C-alpha cells in the first residue's frame, strides 16, 4: 500500500544507539507549524525559521524540555523530499530520539514507513526510480565495487541511457501511429528498415546490459559458495578457517562491524559468500541430524561448489559416485562450477599426482587444519570470474527488476521485427513497440504501479 502523502511524517534518520548526534526528520505540509510549536531558538528572532539556516535552541513538548539541539528548516521544494522538511540534530541518545518522535507525533505527525522520505522525493520528481534504488544500494554497499556501481547509478548514467533508448522508440512509434490514421492512403512515414534497425539496436543494447547482471549480482551479493562432502572430511574446519582468517584482517579496521557480513570474505576485491550448508559450521552432529540431503538442497543456492574429499576416498570411482549423487540431488548442478578439494594432505605421504588425469575437474589439495593451500583454493574460486573491480563498465545491472524489464523489452522488439517482416499491420507492430516503451518507462519510474513501488521502498530503512 502506498502511504498517504498528505500526512506529515517523522522518523529517526540515524541508527538507534548511543552517539554524539542523532537525527530526526520531519516532512510534509505541517512540518513548519510543528517546528514552531516544539522548538524555541535561544536567540529571539522574528524571522525564525529562515530556510537552510541552523538554529540552536530547546526542543520541548509544552513545558517539558527534551533536549538542547540544532535544527534546520528546508522550504519546499528545496528539500530531500521536495516537501517542507525539518531536521533535528539531537544528542545521540535513543531515549531522546524516542521523546522527540513522540512529541512530533503528539503534534500531528506520524511515523514514516520504510523508505517513505525517498518515496516522497520520487513522487515530487526529485529523481527517478533508478536513483531511488541506487540510494539504497549505496547505503548497503560494503565494498569498493558495489559502492562504485551504486554511485554510477546515482549519477544518472543508467537513467540517461534508458531515456535515450525510450525516446528513440517513442519517436518511431509515434510516426508509425500517424500511419495508422492515414492507413487508407497507404503512406509509409517510417522506413521499415530503419524501424528494424532501431529495434535491433535496442535489443543489442538490452542484451549487453543483461550480460552485465551476472557481474552486478556477484558484486552486490557475493559469489555464493557451498562446501559439500561426507561427514568428517573437514568442511567446518575449512569454513571456520576461511571466515576467521578474514575476520582477523577485517576487524583490524577501526569501527568495522562484522555482524552482517559474517559469511562474506573478499578475495582480490571480489566478495565470496559462503553458504552454511545445513549448519556445518556449528557441529558435526548437526549434519547427522539434518541429514546429508539437506546439505544438497542448500547447495542449490551456490554458484561454486567445493566437493571435499578425504584421502581414503581419493579414488576415481568414489569421487565419480559422489559427483553423480550431486548431479541427482542438487538442483541445477550442471550449471555450477565444481572444485574438488582434497583435504588432510598432511596425512598423506605423497599427493595423488595421477588424480588430475583421471578426473577432468579443477582440483586443489589442502590441509584445512594446517592452513595449507587455502589461499590457492580461494584464488581458484575467483579465477572463474573475470571481474576487475577497478575496471567496471559505466552501467551494470544489479537489480532483478531491471533484468525482467530488459528480458521483456527484447521479447516485444523481436516480436515487432517479426511482424514487420511478415508485413503485418502498423497497429500490431506499434502495440509491441508500446509494450517495450512501457517496460523502459517502468525501469525509470516514468510509469509505475503500486506493487513495484511497494517492493522497492519496503527494502529501505525507516528514516530514509
Ligand atoms: P565436517 O564434518 O566435514 O565439518 O568435518 P570437521 O571440520 O568437523 O572435521 C572432522 C575432523 O577432521 C576433525 O577432527 C578435524 O580436526 C579433522 N580435520 C579437518 N581438516 C583436517 C586436516 O586438514 N588434516 C587433518 N589431519 N585433520 C583434519
Amino acid at each position: 500500500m502506498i502511504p498517504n502523502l498528505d500526512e506529515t511524517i517523522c522518523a529517526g534518520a540515524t541508527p538507534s544507539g548511543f552517539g554524539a548526534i542523532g537525527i530526526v526528520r520531519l516532512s510534509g505540509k505541517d512540518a513548519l507549524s510543528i517546528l514552531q510549536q516544539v522548538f524555541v531558538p535561544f536567540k529571539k528572532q522574528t524571522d525564525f525559521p529562515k530556510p537552510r539556516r541552523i538554529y540552536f535552541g530547546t526542543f520541548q513538548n509544552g513545558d517539558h524540555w527534551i533536549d538542547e539541539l540544532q535544527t534546520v528548516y528546508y522550504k519546499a521544494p528545496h528539500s530531500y523530499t521536495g516537501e517542507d522538511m525539518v531536521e533535528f540534530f539531537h544528542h545521540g541518545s535513543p531515549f531522546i530520539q524516542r521523546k522527540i518522535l513522540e512529541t512530533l507525533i503528539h503534534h500531528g505527525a506520524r511515523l514514516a514507513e520504510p523508505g517513505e522520505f525517498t518515496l516522497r522525493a520520487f513522487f515530487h520528481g526529485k529523481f527517478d526510480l533508478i536513483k531511488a534504488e541506487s540510494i539504497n544500494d549505496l547505503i548497503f554497499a560494503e565494498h569498493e565495487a558495489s559502492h562504485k556501481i551504486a554511485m554510477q547509478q546515482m549519477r544518472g548514467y543508467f537513467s540517461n541511457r534508458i531515456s535515450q533508448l525510450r525516446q528513440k522508440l517513442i519517436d518511431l512509434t509515434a510516426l508509425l501511429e500517424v500511419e495508422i490514421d492515414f492507413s487508407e492512403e497507404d503512406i509509409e512515414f517510417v522506413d521499415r528498415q530503419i524501424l528494424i534497425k532501431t529495434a535491433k539496436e535496442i535489443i543489442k543494447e538490452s542484451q549487453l546490459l543483461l550480460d552485465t547482471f551476472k557481474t552486478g549480482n556477484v558484486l552486490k551479493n557475493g559469489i555464493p559458495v557451498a562446501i559439500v562432502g561426507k561427514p568428517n572430511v573437514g568442511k567446518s574446519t575449512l569454513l571456520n578457517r576461511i571466515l576467521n582468517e578474514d575476520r582477523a584482517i577485517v576487524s583490524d579496521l577501526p569501527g568495522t562491524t562484522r555482524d552482517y557480513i559474517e559469511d562474506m570474505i573478499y578475495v582480490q576485491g571480489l566478495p565470496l559468500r559462503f553458504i552454511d550448508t545445513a549448519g556445518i559450521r556449528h557441529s558435526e552432529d548437526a549434519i547427522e541430524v539434518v541429514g546429508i540431503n539437506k546439505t544438497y538442497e542448500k547447495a542449490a543456492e551456490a554458484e561454486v561448489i567445493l566437493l571435499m574429499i578425504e584421502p581414503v576416498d581419493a579414488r576415481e570411482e568414489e569421487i565419480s559416485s559422489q559427483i553423480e549423487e550431486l548431479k541427482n540431488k542438487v538442483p541445477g548442478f550442471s550449471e555450477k562450477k565444481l572444485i574438488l578439494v582434497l583435504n588432510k594432505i598432511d596425512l598423506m605421504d605423497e599427493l595423488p599426482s595421477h588424480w588430475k588425469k583421471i578426473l577432468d575437474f579443477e582440483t586443489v589439495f589442502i590441509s584445512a587444519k594446517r592452513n595449507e593451500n587455502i589461499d590457492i583454493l580461494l584464488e581458484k574460486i575467483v579465477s572463474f570470474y573475470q571481474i576487475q573491480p577497478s575496471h567496471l563498465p559505466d552501467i551494470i545491472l544489479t537489480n532483478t527488476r531491471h533484468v525482467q524489464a530488459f528480458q521483456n523489452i527484447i521479447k516485444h522488439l523481436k516480436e515487432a521485427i517479426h511482424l514487420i517482416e511478415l508485413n503485418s499491420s502498423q497497429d500490431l507492430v506499434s502495440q509491441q513497440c508500446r509494450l517495450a516503451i512501457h517496460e523502459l518507462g517502468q525501469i525509470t519510474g516514468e510509469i509505475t504501479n503500486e506493487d513495484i513501488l511497494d517492493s522497492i521502498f519496503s527494502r529501505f530503512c525507516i528514516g530514509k
Side-chain angles (χ1 to χ4, degrees):
M1 263 277 291
I2 298 298
N4 185 348
L5 298 179
D6 285 337
E7 293 166 344
T8 299
I9 53 171
C10 61
T14 40
S16 80
F18 302 95
I21 296 173
I23 302 176
V24 167
R25 278 175 154 176
L26 177 69
S27 180
K29 59 179 176 23
D30 298 332
L32 176 59
S33 72
I34 295 176
L35 170 67
Q36 285 164 330
Q37 294 171 72
V38 299
F39 181 81
V40 182
F42 282 131
K43 269 210 290 192
K44 292 280 167 266
Q45 299 171 52
T46 45
D47 56 356
F48 169 79
K50 273 194 165 174
R52 293 160 176 264
R53 182 171 284 195
I54 291 202
Y55 291 93
F56 189 35
T58 55
F59 186 99
Q60 50 197 72
N61 192 358
D63 296 337
H64 184 50
W65 285 29
I66 289 166
D67 198 6
E68 289 185 358
L69 52 70
Q70 308 203 72
T71 187
V72 177
Y73 163 61
Y74 306 87
K75 190 171 166 48
H78 304 293
S79 71
Y80 178 72
T81 56
E83 304 173 325
D84 267 4
M85 239 184 120
V86 176
E87 280 172 352
F88 299 102
F89 307 96
H90 59 87
H91 287 104
S93 128
F95 177 76
I96 290 177
Q97 184 161 100
R98 203 169 67 236
K99 292 308 267 183
I100 289 177
L101 289 170
E102 278 171 16
T103 307
L104 297 175
I105 290 167
H106 175 78
H107 284 84
R110 72 160 163 81
L111 209 55
E113 301 286 333
E116 195 174 354
F117 290 89
T118 309
L119 176 72
R120 289 182 174 209
F122 166 70
F123 268 115
H124 292 114
K126 285 281 175 181
F127 39 70
D128 66 10
L129 262 196
I130 294 177
K131 178 158 177 187
E133 287 170 310
S134 71
I135 292 171
N136 209 31
D137 287 349
L138 190 68
I139 291 173
F140 288 105
E142 288 173 25
H143 54 96
E144 201 64 42
S146 51
H147 171 260
K148 186 172 170 189
I149 296 174
M151 265 326 273
Q152 275 168 338
Q153 284 205 3
M154 194 144 124
R155 295 181 64 192
Y157 293 128
F158 186 29
S159 304
N160 290 344
R161 198 65 205 114
I162 300 287
S163 298
Q164 284 164 6
L165 292 179
R166 187 161 183 262
Q167 199 51 50
K168 234 189 222 177
L169 209 52
I170 286 176
D171 293 346
L172 283 174
T173 312
L175 285 176
L176 207 57
E177 284 166 3
V178 176
E179 276 182 24
I180 299 174
D181 295 339
F182 290 87
S183 52
E184 283 173 13
E185 294 162 41
D186 209 16
I187 305 173
E188 266 194 18
F189 287 96
V190 190
D191 181 335
R192 294 296 182 265
Q193 289 317 312
I194 293 185
L195 190 54
I196 290 181
K197 191 166 157 266
T198 307
K200 282 189 173 162
E201 268 170 31
I202 298 176
I203 290 174
K204 191 170 157 209
E205 181 125 8
S206 303
Q207 193 54 54
L208 284 174
L209 287 170
L210 278 178
D211 293 343
T212 65
F213 178 65
K214 202 162 169 294
T215 308
N217 196 32
V218 158
L219 292 175
K220 192 169 160 185
N221 299 319
I223 301 165
V225 183
I227 307 173
V228 301
K230 286 184 174 176
N232 275 324
V233 289
K235 297 183 295 296
S236 45
T237 308
L238 174 64
L239 190 59
N240 283 325
R241 175 73 67 198
I242 292 172
L243 298 178
N244 290 335
E245 291 291 312
D246 175 64
R247 191 148 309 148
I249 298 164
V250 177
S251 53
D252 283 346
L253 303 171
T256 317
T257 34
R258 292 288 327 171
D259 300 357
Y260 57 99
I261 41 175
E262 207 184 326
D263 297 337
M264 285 265 216
I265 63 155
Y266 297 92
V267 180
Q268 293 165 11
L270 291 186
L272 301 184
R273 181 165 53 82
F274 284 85
I275 298 172
D276 192 3
T277 37
I280 56 173
R281 205 152 14 129
H282 307 305
S283 82
E284 290 168 41
D285 295 346
I287 279 282
E288 277 146 24
V289 176
V290 184
I292 205 100
N293 283 347
K294 188 80 190 158
T295 307
Y296 290 155
E297 272 169 38
K298 276 293 261 184
E301 293 168 25
E303 273 194 34
V304 178
I305 292 191
L306 309 182
L307 173 57
M308 256 182 125
I309 312 266
E310 285 195 272
V312 285
D313 285 334
R315 289 167 287 115
E316 186 194 354
E317 50 297 0
E318 170 63 30
I319 296 162
S320 301
S321 97
Q322 288 200 27
I323 292 175
E324 199 51 40
E325 174 114 349
L326 286 171
K327 270 190 193 145
N328 292 333
K329 297 211 169 132
V330 178
F333 179 74
S334 53
E335 286 105 60
K336 301 185 189 303
K337 298 170 180 81
L338 178 70
I339 300 178
L340 292 181
V341 180
L342 177 65
N343 189 29
K344 308 191 187 181
I345 52 168
D346 53 299
L347 298 179
M348 301 177 89
D349 296 331
E350 54 178 344
L351 292 182
S353 52
H354 62 286
W355 201 14
K356 261 207 128 151
K357 295 188 202 95
I358 303 171
L359 283 158
D360 192 20
F361 289 107
E362 293 286 352
T363 307
V364 184
F365 302 120
I366 66 163
S367 169
K369 197 167 173 179
R370 296 205 183 165
N371 203 6
E372 277 174 46
N373 296 350
I374 311 269
D375 49 345
I376 297 178
L377 174 62
L378 296 177
E379 278 162 24
K380 178 84 72 190
I381 298 172
V382 297
S383 72
F384 288 131
Y385 297 81
Q386 303 293 329
I387 304 169
Q388 286 193 310
S390 52
H391 293 93
L392 295 174
D394 282 348
I395 302 171
I396 292 186
L397 295 196
T398 54
N399 203 310
T400 42
R401 186 178 80 83
H402 302 160
V403 169
Q404 275 162 10
F406 281 112
Q407 284 166 341
N408 290 340
I409 289 162
I410 293 177
K411 186 180 82 193
H412 293 309
L413 291 182
K414 281 190 172 163
E415 183 59 24
I417 294 174
H418 180 64
L419 289 168
I420 296 169
E421 284 167 350
L422 290 179
N423 237 340
S424 305
S425 70
Q426 296 97 327
D427 43 352
L428 288 179
V429 178
S430 98
Q431 198 182 12
Q432 292 301 324
C433 294
R434 284 274 161 214
L435 288 169
I437 292 168
H438 185 83
E439 293 287 346
L440 285 165
Q442 284 205 335
I443 296 178
T444 53
E446 276 156 284
I447 298 159
T448 52
N449 70 48
E450 248 186 56
D451 293 343
I452 294 181
L453 295 180
D454 259 1
S455 87
I456 292 174
F457 289 98
S458 60
R459 273 178 265 153
F460 277 64
C461 349
I462 291 184
K464 186 65 220 170

